[in-house]
Amino acid sequence: MLRLSSRTKSLFVFLLFFSGIESAYPVNFDFWVPRDLKVYEYELNAEDRRIVHITTDATDGWADVMVAVGPQKEVKFFRLVTSGGHATEFSIGKLREGAVLKTDHGINGEELHTVTLQSDSFDAFSGGILRLTYLVNGVPLFQKFESFELKLERNRADQWTCESNEGVPFNSLFFRSHRVLGQVVGVSAVDESWNREVAYQVQ
């Protein structure tokens, strides 16, 4: 098995970035390009309910994860809307297989699944556990992913809310960028919080 010293690894990363700096941007949060999902211009929909607002220190852009609710307040499907005015949607079935919400391309042109949302047993009426998996490092030989679980359920007011494993409700996620030599290569951490300015009803 090939083992590289820390010094060799640092030199390797340095050469990777400066031999082709234009292609050394695995993550660009200005653009949310999903995998196998159609992207379209977003139009305000009365069925939409905002469950998570996503921001990052890598860009001024943002994204909202929404659910489209039916007549019994059940989840019909999920929708991702970006600050650029674009949207994509995916079904509960797609959620079970793993909905890749953001893809990027690495230094060698490989496709990177930057953000994936997945659930094995989400129910349209009662909710369930979701797993958010994110790219920590997109540099070849050092690629790394991490994930955390959250619970999406209906509360007593029939509103869909997210909770951490500790049972703390949140409606906002902050993606802290992971940088190598000043370039964003992934997400170092995801912070949850409750922001009173993030409205549940989309306006």
Side-chain angles (χ1 to χ4, degrees), residues 17-33:
F17 276 91
F18 286 94
S19 63
I21 192 68
E22 291 182 359
S23 61
Y25 294 82
V27 178
N28 185 343
F29 283 98
D30 282 325
F31 300 98
W32 285 71
V33 182

Side-chain angles (χ1 to χ4, degrees), residues 85-106:
H86 298 98
T88 188
E89 59 188 51
F90 53 97
S91 65
I92 292 176
K94 187 69 175 179
L95 185 68
R96 290 182 179 134
E97 103 183 34
V100 181
L101 303 184
K102 178 170 172 54
T103 63
D104 293 278
H105 289 90

Side-chain angles (χ1 to χ4, degrees), residues 167-180:
V168 179
F170 66 90
N171 62 4
S172 301
L173 292 175
F174 181 72
F175 285 15
R176 296 188 182 277
S177 61
H178 178 200
R179 298 174 185 266
V180 174

Side-chain angles (χ1 to χ4, degrees), residues 125-165:
F125 290 90
S126 61
I129 301 296
L130 304 176
R131 182 180 301 106
L132 182 71
T133 301
Y134 55 93
L135 176 70
V136 176
N137 193 339
V139 177
L141 298 186
F142 305 97
Q143 284 190 11
K144 179 182 178 182
F145 293 84
E146 290 188 0
S147 62
F148 71 89
E149 291 187 346
L150 58 106
K151 183 184 293 184
L152 178 61
E153 292 184 318
R154 274 200 299 186
N155 60 22
R156 293 181 179 179
D158 272 340
Q159 293 184 344
W160 288 92
T161 58
C162 292
E163 288 186 356
S164 66
N165 279 337

Side-chain angles (χ1 to χ4, degrees), residues 6-200:
S6 297
R7 183 176 180 180
T8 303
K9 288 180 180 179
S10 298
L11 178 61
F12 179 72
V13 172
F14 181 85
L15 292 174
L16 274 176
F17 276 91
F18 286 94
S19 63
I21 192 68
E22 291 182 359
S23 61
Y25 294 82
V27 178
N28 185 343
F29 283 98
D30 282 325
F31 300 98
W32 285 71
V33 182
R35 184 171 186 258
D36 300 329
L37 298 173
K38 182 180 178 182
V39 178
Y40 55 90
E41 290 189 12
Y42 178 67
E43 293 184 6
L44 189 63
N45 192 313
E47 296 180 334
D48 287 350
R49 302 292 183 269
R50 183 184 289 107
I51 56 172
V52 174
H53 180 65
I54 301 173
T55 55
T56 175
D57 59 353
T59 180
D60 291 332
W62 52 262
D64 282 336
V65 180
M66 303 183 184
V67 291
V69 297
Q72 299 180 37
K73 307 300 181 183
E74 79 279 10
V75 174
K76 295 170 59 179
F77 57 85
F78 289 77
R79 198 192 308 270
L80 179 77
V81 179
T82 71
S83 53
H86 298 98
T88 188
E89 59 188 51
F90 53 97
S91 65
I92 292 176
K94 187 69 175 179
L95 185 68
R96 290 182 179 134
E97 103 183 34
V100 181
L101 303 184
K102 178 170 172 54
T103 63
D104 293 278
H105 289 90
I107 294 171
N108 298 321
E110 71 276 16
E111 184 180 77
L112 301 173
H113 296 181
T114 311
V115 181
T116 302
L117 192 62
Q118 190 269 338
S119 176
D120 295 324
S121 57
F122 185 84
D123 181 80
F125 290 90
S126 61
I129 301 296
L130 304 176
R131 182 180 301 106
L132 182 71
T133 301
Y134 55 93
L135 176 70
V136 176
N137 193 339
V139 177
L141 298 186
F142 305 97
Q143 284 190 11
K144 179 182 178 182
F145 293 84
E146 290 188 0
S147 62
F148 71 89
E149 291 187 346
L150 58 106
K151 183 184 293 184
L152 178 61
E153 292 184 318
R154 274 200 299 186
N155 60 22
R156 293 181 179 179
D158 272 340
Q159 293 184 344
W160 288 92
T161 58
C162 292
E163 288 186 356
S164 66
N165 279 337
E166 293 74 29
V168 179
F170 66 90
N171 62 4
S172 301
L173 292 175
F174 181 72
F175 285 15
R176 296 188 182 277
S177 61
H178 178 200
R179 298 174 185 266
V180 174
L181 301 177
Q183 308 302 330
V184 179
V185 299
V187 178
S188 64
V190 179
D191 301 328
E192 313 112 78
S193 64
W194 185 271
N195 186 342
R196 293 182 179 180
E197 296 181 0
V198 175
Y200 179 66

